[in-house]
Amino acid sequence: MPKLEKMIEGAIFGSRWLQVPLYLGLILVLLVLCAKFFMVLVKLVFGMGEMDEAKIVLMVLELVDVVMVANLIVMVVISGYENFVSRLDIEGHGEKLSWFGKLDAGSLKIKLASSIVAISSIHLLKAFLDAAEISNDKLLMLVVIHMTFIVSALMLAYLDKMLGQKSAGGS
């Protein structure tokens, strides 16, 4: 029985490597976002003469939105791989992100929730800038969804703080 148990435990522990294709898929999504960013940027640069200020602001917000989603993907890929698959060996690269190696699963959730709130804020701002084209019902729903994200992020942060105090207190 111990040999079978060791095989099962080895398979369970090794299953973490099944996440690698998912992280590689997110890197492909990052490439798609880069393409989208440059498509919008080219449209903005070459079409700004025919655009009013509101349209320019909307396009800039779209660019910021793409960048924030890209940041979110990078954070998920790097910290997810580091936390759940294997340590990244980057000693020879010379550059290190300030948060690298410091994000555990709990703090990653809070950073993700904060990023989602920021992305939702941009979408909400874009909707309000384009309010003439959007129904009041949809605007109300966007606000409700945004507030749900805010409350969720605050609850995650509160729970993380409570768990941190509990473990620091030895309870």
Side-chain angles (χ1 to χ4, degrees):
M1 217 32 192
K3 189 173 183 178
L4 177 61
E5 185 178 356
K6 283 194 181 286
M7 275 183 24
I8 292 170
E9 289 172 357
I12 290 171
F13 187 66
S15 69
R16 72 190 191 282
W17 288 96
L18 292 173
Q19 294 181 74
V20 172
L22 305 176
Y23 294 128
L24 294 175
L26 285 176
I27 291 169
L28 289 175
V29 170
L30 199 54
L31 289 171
V32 170
L33 283 175
C34 285
K36 172 70 174 171
F37 179 90
F38 284 105
M39 287 170 50
V40 173
L41 183 62
V42 166
K43 188 175 174 182
L44 174 64
V45 169
F46 290 110
M48 71 179 170
E50 295 95 41
M51 292 182 213
D52 62 357
E53 186 179 347
K55 179 67 175 169
I56 291 172
V57 170
L58 284 171
M59 291 185 79
V60 169
L61 286 174
E62 188 173 347
L63 291 171
V64 171
D65 186 39
V66 169
V67 169
M68 291 185 75
V69 172
N71 291 341
L72 184 64
I73 290 172
V74 168
M75 192 177 5
V76 168
V77 169
I78 292 175
S79 62
Y81 184 88
E82 175 90 0
N83 281 312
F84 302 113
V85 179
S86 180
R87 291 273 177 219
L88 289 170
D89 184 19
I90 59 163
E91 291 304 317
H93 290 275
E95 55 187 293
K96 192 169 184 180
L97 306 171
S98 63
W99 52 268
F100 186 79
K102 297 176 186 169
L103 284 182
D104 61 4
S107 56
L108 177 59
K109 282 185 219 171
I110 293 170
K111 285 211 178 283
L112 289 173
S114 300
S115 295
I116 290 169
V117 167
I119 292 166
S120 174
S121 298
I122 290 172
H123 280 271
L124 192 58
L125 181 56
K126 283 170 45 179
F128 279 118
L129 288 174
D130 202 21
E133 305 296 319
I134 299 174
S135 71
N136 286 340
D137 290 345
K138 185 172 181 182
L139 284 174
L140 177 62
M141 189 55 64
L142 289 172
V143 170
V144 168
I145 292 169
H146 180 69
M147 293 307 296
T148 303
F149 288 149
I150 290 173
V151 170
S152 297
L154 288 172
M155 289 176 68
L156 279 172
Y158 177 74
L159 288 172
D160 190 59
K161 181 178 179 180
M162 294 301 293
L163 291 173
Q165 288 177 349
K166 190 174 183 180
S167 65
S171 304

